[in-house]
Amino acid sequence: MLYASFGDGHVQVARALSEALTQDLSAEVRAVDTFRQTNPRLAQWNERIFEWSTRYAPALYGWSYDWTKALSIRHPLWALLARFSRAAAWRAIREFQPDVIVQLFPDHALAKLPDGLRPFVAVVLTDFAVHSRWVHASADLVVVPTNEAALDVRRLRGDVRVEVGGIPIRRQFRQCVLPRSDGEHRIVLLTGGRGVFPQYEGVLERLAQHFPQHVIEVMCGRNARMMERVRSFAERAGQARIHPMGFTEDVASHLQRADFVIAKAGGVTIAECLASGTPMVFYKPLPGQERENARCIERLGAGRIASNLGDLDRLFANWSEETQRAMQLRAVELGKPGAASFVSACLAGGWERLEAQGRGERTAAPHVAQERG
């Protein structure tokens, strides 16, 4: 399983899928951070550049994303960038000799495989938006979260098998942890893994103004400074219904009870909200994959985008129970809480087909049931 430490999403997906592969199929799984293991210092530098550019120069990052989004999957740029990760990927393949390789990060290190080895290669998207860097010539299977994403993958490479399987998420989202109807109405503000959110005071002011009867839970992650700032703001504003929260493993119970979530548009966050049947409001999504993810969910009817505080005011002023209910229904329709097990079954089926082809046999496509939100 190949991943990268650019943000928390790829790591979370790797853990969820590893757990499903181990428990459902008794598979032996090895996770490899190909960038860090190819060149640790360069990888660390690249991760810092990613963090800096998305925080302080998001327009520049967005420009680079948009410019490369529709490039050919055989563009020389992808071969050049693959040099930063191919050494570790090939070393792991030679040492481990896997039956299946799962790629959880957009990269072309596997566009070319070591001589004499031909494992089954699957790409599992961790975004709702499709970028050309996700798809390469060696992929036997591409797993996407939506039908729209499946069409985009086929435009990039028409001969690849595509499954709409969802983004693998934590097992806690496969059950209803706490009842929704406990007498309280809740809104959750997710600040992201780094505990950073743009103009959070302005957002909280508008939430308190338009939804005075709601409890507003602000999940700050491990950012103790952010948590203290939210607590201080709530005290100054006299808003006892604003509840700052630190890191918790139990995210599902909070999302499942919320009327809606204010969130960043990361792929894993969206998948968890959809699995919870909870609509999303994306405030100032970052240019690049986050903005494209947000646009996708808005088109599908499970979220709305606000680009500034004025947009947020207008959105909340026109908010209604009917609007919220319609978005909740779309979230349930799109949610795939069992994506990890579904994807692991797709991987097993794909490997079996590849083995059968090597023996000159035919196999029927396995039926795999997908859990709903």
Side-chain angles (χ1 to χ4, degrees):
M1 186 175 299
L2 309 182
Y3 71 99
S5 299
F6 291 83
D8 298 324
H10 308 290
V11 178
Q12 290 183 37
V13 172
R15 289 172 181 163
L17 188 53
S18 292
E19 180 181 320
L21 288 165
T22 302
Q23 294 186 4
D24 299 348
L25 302 176
S26 299
E28 182 182 354
V29 181
R30 178 179 296 182
V32 179
D33 185 332
T34 53
F35 289 85
R36 286 188 174 183
Q37 293 187 28
T38 294
N39 190 323
R41 290 184 179 179
L42 184 59
Q44 187 177 43
W45 179 246
N46 284 336
E47 289 165 23
R48 288 178 179 175
I49 291 175
F50 173 77
E51 295 282 344
W52 181 90
S53 63
T54 54
R55 182 176 296 189
Y56 300 109
L60 178 62
Y61 177 80
W63 172 83
S64 67
Y65 179 94
D66 293 340
W67 174 67
T68 57
K69 180 180 178 181
L71 291 180
S72 166
I73 64 171
R74 293 175 175 81
H75 195 282
L77 177 62
W78 303 142
L80 176 64
L81 294 177
R83 295 183 179 183
F84 296 114
S85 56
R86 179 168 287 151
W90 280 26
R91 183 166 59 248
I93 293 170
R94 290 187 176 114
E95 291 176 0
F96 196 45
Q97 296 195 10
D99 298 302
V100 178
I101 302 176
V102 187
Q103 182 180 322
L104 302 175
F105 185 79
D107 183 38
H108 280 225
L110 298 182
K112 183 179 179 182
L113 293 168
D115 293 337
L117 296 172
R118 188 57 179 93
F120 181 79
V121 178
V123 176
V124 179
L125 268 68
T126 57
D127 282 314
F128 284 75
V130 177
H131 190 282
S132 65
R133 199 178 177 189
W134 275 110
V135 184
H136 56 74
S138 295
D140 300 296
L141 170 69
V142 179
V143 182
V144 297
T146 65
N147 291 323
E148 183 180 277
L151 292 174
D152 289 338
V153 168
R154 291 189 179 104
R155 290 189 189 100
L156 290 167
R157 190 183 150 201
D159 64 336
V160 70
R161 185 182 183 91
V162 183
E163 291 279 1
V164 181
I167 297 175
I169 54 175
R170 289 171 281 187
R171 189 170 289 269
Q172 62 182 269
F173 287 92
R174 299 176 73 166
Q175 59 185 342
C176 186
V177 183
L178 290 175
R180 206 185 264 276
S181 56
D182 61 353
E184 293 262 42
H185 287 279
R186 288 177 169 81
I187 298 167
V188 171
L189 191 155
L190 292 172
T191 63
R194 291 177 290 177
V196 178
F197 197 89
Q199 297 180 302
Y200 69 91
E201 290 190 357
V203 173
L204 289 173
E205 285 174 357
R206 282 150 182 82
L207 285 171
Q209 175 188 345
H210 290 280
F211 303 94
Q213 304 306 314
H214 282 63
V215 171
I216 303 168
E217 297 180 343
V218 185
M219 304 189 76
C220 303
R222 291 186 171 89
N223 192 331
R225 186 177 180 185
M226 177 71 163
M227 186 172 171
E228 184 55 40
R229 286 177 173 176
V230 173
R231 180 181 290 110
S232 178
F233 168 79
E235 291 174 354
R236 293 197 313 270
Q239 293 290 346
R241 297 180 75 82
I242 296 177
H243 298 173
M245 300 177 58
F247 175 79
T248 176
E249 289 285 356
D250 177 23
V251 178
S253 64
H254 297 278
L255 298 190
Q256 289 170 0
R257 291 188 300 171
D259 285 353
F260 64 91
V261 171
I262 310 282
K264 294 188 171 185
V268 175
T269 296
I270 292 173
E272 291 178 345
C273 288
L274 293 177
S276 303
T278 306
M280 290 148 279
V281 173
F282 305 111
Y283 183 65
K284 297 184 73 171
L286 289 171
Q289 66 266 29
E290 285 196 13
R291 184 168 59 194
E292 294 304 311
N293 286 343
R295 288 172 175 171
C296 173
I297 298 304
E298 187 173 58
R299 284 194 302 271
L300 294 171
R304 299 289 295 274
I305 298 173
S307 300
N308 52 56
L309 293 175
D311 280 353
L312 205 59
D313 259 326
R314 288 186 286 273
L315 175 61
F316 290 159
N318 294 309
W319 197 269
S320 67
E321 289 186 9
E322 291 76 15
T323 298
Q324 181 175 298
R325 182 59 180 161
M327 293 170 67
Q328 286 173 340
L329 290 174
R330 284 300 287 148
V332 170
E333 290 170 0
L334 295 165
K336 296 178 175 61
S341 288
F342 183 89
V343 172
S344 68
C346 288
L347 297 174
W351 172 73
E352 287 173 356
R353 285 192 299 273
L354 187 66
E355 289 289 292
Q357 289 171 9
R359 296 190 300 267
E361 302 172 359
R362 290 186 177 182
T363 59
H367 174 74
V368 184
Q370 175 66 277
E371 296 176 16
R372 309 311 305 169

